[in-house]
Amino acid sequence: MVLRKLRLEDEQAYLTMVAASRSLHHPWTSPPADQAGFRALMERGAVGDFVSLAGWRAADNTLVAIVNLSQIARGGFQSCYCGFYANAATAGQGLTREALELSIRYAFSHEGLHRVEANVQPNNTASLALVRRIGFRHEGFSPRYLHVDGAWRDHERFAITADDWRSVEE
């Protein structure tokens, strides 16, 4: 697995992945699906409180997952939100897990963050299992938390701290 920031030259691979993965993503997330949306995603990364990371399968350079670290807060908080979506063609192979683990490591080691929060819709069993598997702690339930796919959706709230992560890695 190779993890790196999403780049402008990744546009075609990104848009192809999103188009082929619509049924996997719906109704959990609505990633940008056209050139304008991709460019807006890239522009968000230029602000400094958002990083879009791309996980690539090293053997064939296939884009397997996107992990977005958003609303990166500094100062006494040192925290961010984490959202992710997979390539349907590679789902179920452990590659999204690997990309998410590398992204969490990036958040703590490169960004110097203390806490990463992930919010997952209660019926998204695959993502719930994934965040639990890599060590996120369940913190609560947030009714009508995020507006996704045209409706306010409930979410389960999870978080992991740098200290929690170090104990998982050991």
Side-chain angles (χ1 to χ4, degrees):
M1 175 73 57
V2 174
L3 182 78
R4 61 171 172 75
K5 289 183 180 179
L6 193 64
R7 303 175 187 155
L8 280 174
E9 58 264 26
D10 298 330
E11 181 178 322
Q12 191 56 54
Y14 175 91
L15 293 176
T16 299
M17 180 198 84
V18 168
S21 303
R22 278 193 182 105
S23 63
L24 178 66
H25 299 158
H26 182 80
W28 319 120
T29 187
S30 300
D34 59 20
Q35 184 180 45
F38 178 80
R39 297 293 167 104
L41 179 67
M42 296 304 300
E43 288 172 13
R44 243 183 115 183
V47 175
D49 69 343
F50 181 88
V51 177
S52 192
L53 300 167
W56 301 84
R57 185 167 52 197
D60 61 3
N61 203 36
T62 296
L63 179 59
V64 300
I66 298 293
V67 179
N68 293 316
L69 305 176
S70 63
Q71 297 180 24
I72 297 171
R74 299 297 180 181
F77 202 39
Q78 296 295 342
S79 183
C80 75
Y81 293 99
C82 173
F84 53 91
Y85 39 97
N87 185 336
T90 60
Q93 299 175 22
L95 299 170
T96 303
R97 177 183 177 167
E98 190 175 349
L100 184 55
E101 288 174 337
L102 290 170
S103 298
I104 299 305
R105 181 179 296 140
Y106 173 91
F108 294 138
S109 63
H110 183 75
E111 293 291 330
L113 298 178
H114 166 71
R115 173 188 161 89
V116 176
E117 183 173 322
N119 293 282
V120 181
Q121 291 179 48
N123 293 330
N124 187 345
T125 56
S127 292
L128 288 171
L130 177 57
V131 296
R132 285 183 172 115
R133 198 174 306 121
I134 67 169
F136 277 78
R137 171 186 63 262
H138 186 255
E139 292 191 330
F141 176 77
S142 300
R144 296 171 308 284
Y145 181 67
L146 288 173
H147 197 261
V148 180
D149 194 37
W152 288 101
R153 310 280 180 177
D154 297 343
H155 282 72
E156 297 288 345
R157 196 173 57 258
F158 292 84
I160 190 165
T161 65
D163 293 336
D164 296 335
W165 182 252
R166 281 191 280 279
S167 67
V168 168
E169 283 197 313
E170 292 174 354

